[in-house]
């Protein structure tokens, strides 16, 4: 089952900022970035799987993460290269600011 992602050229600043404005989604992105790749099932917060799926979907549709099917699950990666090409330094700045809070 293929997963839709926006093309690099379709990533919009307002959608990226909106997706990263939620502390839980920001934490998800930080965790994926630190490990390079994470499976959807490796996250335990929030407890409800449907809520986690919703947050993954918001991040994916904004172009912040990519999801690739691996067996029965999905592998998540941060689209840092695409984001840096569209908005140089944005992701690093947001993650650095979030670490300070």
């Amino acid at each position: 089952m293929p997963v839709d992602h926006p093309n690099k050229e379709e990533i919009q600043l307002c959608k990226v900022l909106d997706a990263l404005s939620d502390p839980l989604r920001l934490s998800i992105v930080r965790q994926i970035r630190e490990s390079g790749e994470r499976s959807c099932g490796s996250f335990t917060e929030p407890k409800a799987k449907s809520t986690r799926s919703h947050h993954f979907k918001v991040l994916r549709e904004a172009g912040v993460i990519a999801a690739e099917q691996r067996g029965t699950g999905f592998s998540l990666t941060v689209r840092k290269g695409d984001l840096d090409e569209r908005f140089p330094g944005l992701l690093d700045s947001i993650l650095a600011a979030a670490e300070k809070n």
Side-chain angles (χ1 to χ4, degrees):
M1 172 170 128
V3 179
D4 289 332
H5 300 88
N7 294 325
K8 176 177 54 179
E9 298 79 22
E10 297 172 330
I11 298 174
Q12 298 175 17
L13 180 60
C14 60
K15 288 186 178 183
V16 171
L17 293 175
D18 183 53
L20 295 175
S21 69
D22 182 277
L24 182 57
R25 288 194 290 264
L26 195 56
S27 174
I28 289 169
V29 171
R30 187 179 318 117
Q31 291 175 62
I32 296 169
R33 184 155 176 227
E34 286 173 0
S35 61
E37 183 177 308
R38 293 268 307 251
S39 69
C40 290
S42 69
F43 290 91
T44 57
E45 293 296 325
K47 297 269 186 218
K49 182 179 175 184
S50 61
T51 304
R52 284 194 307 270
S53 295
H54 166 74
H55 288 296
F56 298 148
K57 180 181 177 185
V58 170
L59 290 166
R60 181 179 47 78
E61 289 180 347
V64 177
I65 65 171
E68 182 179 328
Q69 190 161 12
R70 300 261 171 94
T72 59
F74 285 89
S75 175
L76 306 173
T77 55
V78 175
R79 294 180 63 181
K80 182 167 174 15
D82 290 341
L83 289 169
D84 281 345
E85 282 187 43
R86 292 283 291 149
F87 315 109
L90 176 70
L91 183 62
D92 289 334
S93 295
I94 291 172
L95 292 175
E99 297 254 337
K100 292 179 183 177
N101 291 331

